[in-house]
Amino acid sequence: MGEGALAAFQDAFAQALLADDVSAEIANAPPEWAALVRHPAFAVYRNTVTRGLVDAIVANHPAVLHLVGDEWLRAAATVYARRHPPGDPSLLRYGDGFDRFLASFPPAADLRYLADVALLDRAWSDAHGARDDPVVDPATIAALAPERLAGATLVPHAAARWHWSDELPIHALWTRSRRGDADLGDLAWRGEGVLVTRPRDAVEWIAVGRAACAFLDACAHGRPLADAAAAASRADRNADLARLMAMLLDAGAFARLVVDAGR
Amino acid sequence: MTLSPSAGLSLKPEHYADALAAPADARWFEVHPENYLVDGGPRLAWLGAIRARHPLSLHSVSLSLAADEPPDAGRVARLARLVARFEPAIVSEHLAWSAWRGSYVPDLLPFPRTRAALDRIAANVSIVQDALGRTIAIENPSHYLPVPGHEQDEIAFLSELARRTGCRLLLDVNNVYVSARNLGFAAEAYVDAFPGDDVAEIHLAGHRADPSLGEGLLVDSHDAPVASAVWALYERLIARIGPRPTLVERDDALPGFATLDAERARAQAVLTRANARAPEPVT
């Protein structure tokens, strides 16, 4: 083989590995590569690659698995894997964008909650492997004078993920699916939010409201607490801000309190 | 830390507590670094706790050294951070490719063993060894089909790679058996010809017949106990080259820790017998 032959081999091999239809892939290939791909054992490589990626999607989405079953999820994951092979060799978090894929996957059209459930499964994986941040002690907030608190910022914990759904009881749905609860019959179909954290060594989550999610969004954008509180009040004018902050601090949503030295 | 020529086990999250509690008598554990490329959390905490009691080996599957491109710099840097943190006794990779033009596939893929490929792979091994500040061991992969265009056999290729880069070799005896059956060569002849002085580690694993093609195609599935024919090849190898660190690999259909540890003990018994036979070192 001459210069660049290895690259050409790898181009052809990689394409045939993930192709939906191998025979179409080799129609224009040089005869020796067509023979390679046509060899019955080439299927071992195709199967190993697809199974490895599909296994990762299934392992990373236990709540989705509970809702749709193994056969359905494997079929969907096979389509996803062929379109979106990973860029990162760590398959612990393979499936970035799987929620968006499900949202536009025709067989999931009647399962309008599935994308949100996948998003939270992903949030769990993110939280599990996130940096070991410290957790803000609520006492440091309590000790701060109100005027300094207004200008301070709370930096979300590296493991904190939150999601609000206007229409779905996503906290109840995801919690029951994660637990493998067979009975999803008596859900109240109204909007809910979830905050996923890992304040110590285990991933935890709680139900949160629209106001808490707006507060966390503002904090994530580096806004001072006065702005975050205003955003929370806009999202829900009945929000009890003191209780909301206490709940988020208790859940371990924040890694640092930054007090502006100039104020 | 160097590894005594003892027997180790693949480590899976299901066995963390058992591994931590296992007696430290020369037991070592091997993990895929890809499963620890996280920023924090319980996986790294477990690995740290186990590493505090047992030697560790990092067996990489994603550096893609046989790709016709340099290994991804970010991937190498992340491996280097893991190596610096856990100070493994051995770091290894495969004579294969698994990433190409930005996409990763979870498999160890074949290539034509040409002179140009050897130049590329030697350069890639050197990039990784320079980044890690240590030598790595390169493993013979399993083969399933004849690849056109080979200019060298695998043993000559690996020997020259070791000579040019200073890398060590990892001889997977199950891969030899599977490849020999699939490609039609004699596994004993391969094991007998493998350069013993370069072998830093040995792998033993289970395989199974392909579900559609049957016994004519063996798959390196890592989901079954080590086959008796592979044990026989292993004993033949150890009798020739002497004891080496030996891993019992299991990635799928995971049995209880005690069952796997009994397989590890069988490898340890082979090594212990070989040690007893070894002549006293000349002083």
Side-chain angles (χ1 to χ4, degrees), chain A residues 53-106:
Chain A
L53 298 179
V54 168
D55 283 351
I57 290 288
V58 172
N60 296 345
H61 298 87
V64 176
L65 174 65
H66 177 72
L67 290 170
V68 299
D70 192 64
E71 194 182 344
W72 194 100
L73 182 53
R74 284 184 177 275
T78 301
V79 178
Y80 173 82
R82 292 200 170 138
R83 283 189 212 160
H84 307 283
D88 191 309
S90 179
L91 298 181
L92 295 175
R93 286 162 54 189
Y94 177 49
D96 190 21
F98 188 58
D99 61 307
R100 293 189 298 279
F101 168 83
L102 288 174
S104 60
F105 185 52

Side-chain angles (χ1 to χ4, degrees), chain A residues 122-179:
Chain A
R122 169 74 185 188
W124 192 98
S125 301
D126 285 346
H128 192 257
R131 193 177 58 225
D132 297 317
D133 271 352
V135 174
V136 170
D137 179 355
T140 58
I141 307 276
L144 214 58
E147 66 278 10
R148 295 196 74 201
L149 193 58
T153 52
L154 277 168
V155 180
H157 193 282
R161 299 286 184 282
W162 54 94
H163 175 63
W164 169 258
S165 170
D166 273 329
E167 296 165 358
L168 302 171
I170 193 63
H171 175 263
L173 191 56
W174 187 60
T175 301
R176 291 188 198 187
S177 304
R178 276 306 281 204
R179 283 196 204 128

Side-chain angles (χ1 to χ4, degrees), chain B residues 246-258:
Chain B
T246 301
L247 179 83
V248 173
E249 252 186 323
R250 181 65 84 92
D251 290 312
D252 231 328
L254 212 58
F257 185 80

Side-chain angles (χ1 to χ4, degrees), chain A residues 10-11 41 86 88 90 129 132, chain B residues 34 39 41 66 68 78 100-101 104:
Chain A
Q10 280 156 351
D11 279 333
D88 191 309
S90 179
D132 297 317
Chain B
E34 290 76 9
D39 296 326
D68 200 7
R78 288 203 289 173
W100 181 239
R101 300 198 195 279
Y104 168 72

Side-chain angles (χ1 to χ4, degrees), chain B residues 76-154:
Chain B
V76 174
R78 288 203 289 173
L79 178 62
R81 282 200 292 277
L82 218 52
V83 166
R85 175 165 176 176
F86 291 106
E87 300 180 319
I90 296 185
V91 180
S92 54
E93 237 311 339
H94 301 80
L95 185 68
W97 58 288
S98 53
W100 181 239
R101 300 198 195 279
S103 286
Y104 168 72
V105 289
D107 203 356
L108 300 160
L109 304 171
F111 62 94
R113 288 184 302 266
T114 61
R115 303 299 308 176
L118 183 58
D119 290 343
R120 168 62 85 181
I121 296 166
N124 287 349
V125 168
S126 296
I127 288 170
V128 173
Q129 293 189 145
D130 289 349
L132 303 186
R134 59 186 293 163
T135 56
I136 60 175
I138 302 297
E139 176 181 342
N140 59 302
S142 287
H143 296 286
Y144 300 105
L145 44 71
V147 170
H150 288 314
E151 293 169 4
Q152 261 184 309
D153 69 41
E154 190 166 81

Side-chain angles (χ1 to χ4, degrees), chain B residues 198-211:
Chain B
D198 291 331
V199 176
E201 185 183 342
I202 296 168
H203 274 183
L204 300 172
H207 58 258
R208 62 177 62 247
D210 183 77

